[in-house]
């Protein structure tokens, strides 16, 4: 079963798997969630950026994901496109 880890982030909001958390809690929570996950697929962490997410905060989140041992996967919310 695919239980992908997701991080939804806006400038003021941060959701980890749908649960509201503080920015400083992201890395430890991710680290715990990633325990025992070894393959690249298992370690993927989907980042869903909100429209108001700043570049700096986005970088902070990407760094936290990597520090925790995850592999950031950015999902843009816009439909279609040439992706």
């Amino acid at each position: 079963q695919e239980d992908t880890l997701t991080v939804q982030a806006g400038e003021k909001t941060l959701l980890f798997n749908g649960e509201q958390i503080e920015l400083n809690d992201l890395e430890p929570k991710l680290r715990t969630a990633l325990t025992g996950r070894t393959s690249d697929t298992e370690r993927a962490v989907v980042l869903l950026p909100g429209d108001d997410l700043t570049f700096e905060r986005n970088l902070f989140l990407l760094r936290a994901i990597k520090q925790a041992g995850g592999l950031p996967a950015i999902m843009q919310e816009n439909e279609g496109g040439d992706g």
Side-chain angles (χ1 to χ4, degrees):
Q1 77 189 25
E2 202 49 59
D3 50 349
T4 309
L5 302 172
T6 59
V7 175
Q8 269 178 285
E11 192 50 36
K12 301 269 191 292
T13 57
L14 184 61
L15 297 172
F16 175 56
N17 284 351
E19 173 197 0
Q20 180 85 39
I21 63 167
E22 295 299 316
L23 197 56
N24 293 335
D25 292 337
L26 180 60
E27 195 184 317
K29 279 185 180 290
L30 272 172
R31 197 181 297 277
T32 302
L34 286 161
T35 304
R37 293 175 180 242
T38 51
S39 75
D40 286 0
T41 312
E42 289 175 322
R43 288 169 52 220
V45 178
V46 176
L47 180 57
L48 299 161
D51 292 338
D52 62 344
L53 184 63
T54 60
F55 184 72
E56 288 80 12
R57 189 163 158 103
N58 190 39
L59 281 183
F60 185 96
L61 294 168
L62 289 173
R63 195 176 302 127
I65 291 170
K66 288 179 186 154
Q67 293 281 1
L71 297 171
I74 313 255
M75 289 292 177
Q76 295 305 340
E77 301 215 38
N78 50 13
E79 309 293 310
D82 299 293

